[in-house]
C-alpha cells in the first residue's frame, strides 16, 4: 500500500474515533435535537454517516470485483434511507454507525494493489480511482463529527486533515466558480513536510473581486465547508457567506 493510502486510511480511523466520541457524549434524547444543518436532527447526521459507509462499501466492492456497484440506487434512495434511519430507536442507530464503519474498514482492507487503481463513480457522478474512497469517508466522519455538536470542534481535527480539506473544498468551489471569490490565508505558524513549507494560502475562484480571509486553519476549514466559524478577519471587505459542503 502506498504511503498516501496508508495516510488516508489512518485518517478514516482517526475520524471514526472522533465521530464515535461525539456520539458517545450525547444521550438518546439529544439525538432528536436539531443541528445547524437545515432540516436535520443529530439522528439524521448519524443515519447519513452510517448510510455513507454502506454506500462506500459498494464502491469497494466495485473496485474489488470490477462489477459496477453504485453508491446509491438513486438520489431518492439516499434521501429516504436518511429519513428512515433517523427515526430508528437510538440504540439501533448507534449500532448502525459502529457496524457500518467496521464493515467499511473490512471492505477497504480486502482491496489489494490492483483493485485500488480501479475507477469507480461517486454519487456526484465523478469518476475516481478507488484510492480516493478513504478520503471521501474521512471528510464525512470528520466534518459530521463537528456537526453532531457533541464536544468535537474543528480545533480537534488533525492538521493533516484540515490542510487537505482546504485544498479539496477550494478546488471543488473553484470548479463551480459560482460563489464568492476568496483567498484563504492561514495565520497558523508555517511548518514543513519533508523540508518543503506547507501551503498557507488557498485561492477560491468565484464571482467578484477576491476577498482575503485570514485565520487559523481550523476556522478556515469551518468556513470553507460552510460551517459556523469564529475569529476570521478580512482585508477590509465583508466576509462572504458560503453554502454548506458535505
Ligand atoms: Zn455528508
Amino acid at each position: 500500500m502506498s504511503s498516501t493510502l496508508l495516510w488516508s486510511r489512518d485518517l478514516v480511523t482517526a475520524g471514526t474515533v472522533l465521530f464515535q466520541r461525539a456520539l458517545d457524549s450525547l444521550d438518546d434524547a439529544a439525538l432528536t435535537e436539531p443541528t445547524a444543518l437545515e432540516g436535520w436532527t443529530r439522528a439524521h447526521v448519524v443515519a447519513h454517516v452510517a448510510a455513507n459507509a454502506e454506500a462506500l462499501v459498494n464502491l469497494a466492492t466495485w473496485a474489488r470485483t470490477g462489477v459496477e456497484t453504485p453508491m446509491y440506487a438513486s438520489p431518492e434512495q439516499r434521501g429516504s434511507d436518511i429519513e428512515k434511519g433517523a427515526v430508528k430507536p437510538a440504540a439501533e442507530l448507534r449500532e448502525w454507525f459502529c457496524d457500518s464503519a467496521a464493515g467499511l474498514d473490512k471492505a477497504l482492507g480486502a482491496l489489494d494493489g490492483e483493485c485500488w487503481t480501479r475507477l469507480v463513480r461517486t454519487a456526484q457522478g465523478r469518476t475516481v480511482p478507488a484510492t480516493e474512497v478513504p478520503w471521501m469517508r474521512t471528510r464525512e466522519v470528520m466534518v459530521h463529527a463537528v456537526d453532531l455538536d457533541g464536544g468535537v470542534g474543528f480545533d480537534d481535527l488533525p492538521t493533516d486533515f484540515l490542510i487537505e480539506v482546504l485544498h479539496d473544498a477550494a478546488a471543488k468551489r473553484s470548479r463551480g466558480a459560482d460563489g464568492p471569490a476568496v483567498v484563504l490565508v492561514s495565520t497558523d505558524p508555517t511548518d514543513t513536510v519533508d523540508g518543503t513549507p506547507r501551503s498557507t494560502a488557498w485561492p477560491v475562484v468565484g464571482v467578484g473581486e477576491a476577498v482575503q480571509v485570514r485565520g487559523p486553519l481550523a476556522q478556515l476549514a469551518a468556513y470553507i465547508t460552510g460551517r459556523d466559524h469564529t475569529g476570521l478577519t478580512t482585508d477590509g471587505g465583508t466576509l462572504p457567506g458560503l453554502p454548506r459542503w458535505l
Side-chain angles (χ1 to χ4, degrees), residues 173 178-182 184 204 207 211 213 222-229 232 234 237-245:
R173 293 196 189 277
D178 51 359
V182 292
L184 308 172
V204 179
V207 181
V211 175
V213 180
Y223 172 70
I224 196 71
T225 53
R227 265 60 177 188
D228 287 347
H229 50 81
L232 296 177
T234 69
T238 46
L239 187 64
L242 293 175
R244 166 189 165 188
W245 180 57

Side-chain angles (χ1 to χ4, degrees), residues 37 40 48-49 52 78 139-140 144 147 227 244-246:
L37 304 180
W40 277 14
H48 162 55
V49 172
N52 169 263
R78 177 182 178 276
R139 292 188 311 217
E140 295 293 327
H144 291 312
D147 290 331
R227 265 60 177 188
R244 166 189 165 188
W245 180 57
L246 296 172

Side-chain angles (χ1 to χ4, degrees), residues 138-155:
T138 298
R139 292 188 311 217
E140 295 293 327
V141 274
M142 293 275 186
V143 175
H144 291 312
V146 177
D147 290 331
L148 279 182
D149 192 14
V152 173
F154 275 89
D155 286 339

Side-chain angles (χ1 to χ4, degrees), residues 37-53:
L37 304 180
E38 202 188 335
W40 277 14
T41 62
R42 288 188 175 106
H44 282 89
V45 175
V46 179
H48 162 55
V49 172
N52 169 263

Side-chain angles (χ1 to χ4, degrees), residues 47-170:
H48 162 55
V49 172
N52 169 263
E54 294 180 348
L56 292 176
V57 167
N58 289 345
L59 293 191
T61 302
W62 184 344
R64 186 170 52 77
T65 63
V67 177
E68 181 170 335
T69 318
M71 288 179 70
Y72 303 101
S74 64
E76 294 71 34
Q77 183 227 327
R78 177 182 178 276
S80 74
D81 282 357
I82 295 171
E83 290 301 330
K84 275 189 252 161
V87 294
K88 282 178 192 273
E92 227 177 279
L93 196 56
R94 291 175 194 274
E95 201 176 296
W96 187 23
F97 168 71
C98 289
D99 291 351
S100 60
L104 177 60
D105 188 56
K106 192 167 166 229
L108 293 177
L111 299 184
D112 64 16
E114 196 195 334
C115 298
W116 284 112
T117 64
R118 289 227 169 95
L119 297 178
V120 296
R121 197 174 54 249
T122 70
Q124 287 76 41
R126 280 192 316 129
T127 300
V128 297
T131 46
E132 188 149 327
V133 173
W135 173 247
M136 290 165 65
R137 178 60 176 174
T138 298
R139 292 188 311 217
E140 295 293 327
V141 274
M142 293 275 186
V143 175
H144 291 312
V146 177
D147 290 331
L148 279 182
D149 192 14
V152 173
F154 275 89
D155 286 339
D156 297 301
L157 307 185
T159 303
D160 279 355
F161 170 76
L162 295 172
I163 288 173
E164 196 59 29
V165 85
L166 280 163
H167 276 304
D168 194 11

Side-chain angles (χ1 to χ4, degrees), residues 11-22:
L11 279 183
V12 175
T13 306
T16 304
V17 168
L18 283 166
F19 191 92
Q20 185 77 64
R21 190 174 105 195

